[in-house]
Amino acid sequence: MTQKEELLVVIEPSQENHIALERAILTSRLREVKPVLHLFIGVDAESTDLKARNANLFRDNKWLENLLKPIEEEGLEYTYEFSWSIEWAEALLINADRVHPDLILIPDYEAGIRRSLFSDSKWAILRRSACPVMIVRPGASSHRKRILAAINVQNEDPKYVELNEKIISKSLQVAKLYKAELFVVNAYSDSLNYPNREKIMARTALPSKNVHAEQGDTADIIAEYANRIKADLVVMGTMARKGALSLMRGNTSERLLNRIKQDVITCS
């Protein structure tokens, strides 16, 4: 990969460990041309205790120095921006409009802790982002050996065809970057909707053993297959929406995000 990428990295200042930044730095070491990191530092009011008793809401110049130190040690170009807007998601998306990132990295500190994975504001980012979004989980493997792309080729709606292409293109790009093995999974509801595996293999140049089609609930099939192959990263899609519709959680997407423990890249 020779093109310099722009990565927008979300920093939750109330947290001690900045897992999205750690992931960005680790992956930068694999790139032929080092990416530019843009740090968005802001608190998501929907998922953070904003009471004054929360000592982690108070940060000083030493905190900032420690935050930037590993970036500078890697010799990476970077910018940073603080936001104290109560409209956290809107502020992040406005920032993205300015820097035009190739990828947004969002930390997910509460995966598996609560019933709903994301606040409404974070869900809106997945729906409205013009670029892919990586959801970074604590404890997830940063060494990508197996990448799983979740697609739905039997739906011929042009919007789904375009979304599938985005998922496949991003998966191939990431697999090449990490020198990882790529797998594709496609769930289907019944025999009348059996996906065209030959078409998938032709598009991805993958062997038959790496293309999996199985009948059943989409979220269950993808999550179980991801665990079966020990995937390190799952690439999936969310249908882009605007306005109030952007806050509507896709039932399948949300259940899948709640089921899998791996890092996730969403395309919309």
Side-chain angles (χ1 to χ4, degrees), residues 21-205:
L21 178 58
E22 291 172 1
R23 196 76 81 247
I25 291 174
L26 283 172
T27 58
S28 72
R29 297 170 183 167
L30 302 174
R31 289 168 163 80
E32 295 175 17
V33 178
K34 299 302 181 184
V36 179
L37 304 189
H38 302 279
L39 310 187
F40 176 87
I41 306 171
V43 175
D44 179 6
E46 291 184 43
S47 56
T48 304
D49 178 8
L50 297 181
K51 299 287 180 61
R53 67 191 177 203
N54 184 356
N56 288 331
L57 293 180
F58 299 86
R59 299 304 189 188
D60 55 20
N61 61 317
K62 188 64 176 179
W63 176 87
L64 182 60
E65 290 172 6
N66 290 335
L67 177 70
L68 301 178
K69 183 178 179 180
I71 306 174
E72 295 173 345
E73 289 178 342
E74 292 289 331
L76 298 174
E77 183 181 349
Y78 68 90
T79 67
Y80 61 86
E81 176 177 301
F82 287 92
S83 170
W84 49 88
S85 171
I86 60 172
E87 297 177 325
W88 178 86
E90 195 66 32
L92 175 58
L93 291 169
I94 289 173
N95 181 279
D97 286 341
R98 285 198 296 270
V99 303
H100 302 291
D102 298 287
L103 180 69
I104 299 175
L105 293 88
I106 297 180
D108 170 27
Y109 293 99
E110 300 190 70
I113 295 177
R114 60 186 180 187
R115 182 178 180 183
S116 179
L117 177 67
F118 278 155
S119 61
D120 285 342
S121 57
K122 289 182 179 177
W123 188 258
I125 292 169
L126 299 187
R127 291 293 199 190
R128 294 173 55 193
S129 175
C131 69
V133 177
M134 177 183 284
I135 304 163
V136 182
R137 270 79 183 269
S141 173
S142 59
H143 302 287
R144 320 294 197 190
K145 297 179 180 179
R146 297 179 182 85
I147 309 297
L148 177 61
I151 60 175
N152 178 8
V153 297
Q154 62 269 39
N155 192 324
E156 297 181 352
D157 185 310
K159 289 188 289 188
Y160 278 94
V161 172
E162 180 182 4
L163 183 58
N164 284 325
E165 181 58 32
K166 289 180 180 179
I167 295 169
I168 291 173
S169 295
K170 189 63 181 178
S171 301
L172 289 169
Q173 179 192 55
V174 174
K176 181 180 179 180
L177 174 66
Y178 287 98
K179 296 180 174 60
E181 188 174 9
L182 178 61
F183 294 80
V184 174
V185 60
N186 194 134
Y188 62 96
S189 57
D190 54 60
S191 58
L192 296 178
N193 290 293
Y194 188 82
N196 188 332
R197 294 181 71 255
E198 289 72 20
K199 182 179 179 180
I200 299 173
M201 289 187 290
R203 172 63 184 88
T204 59

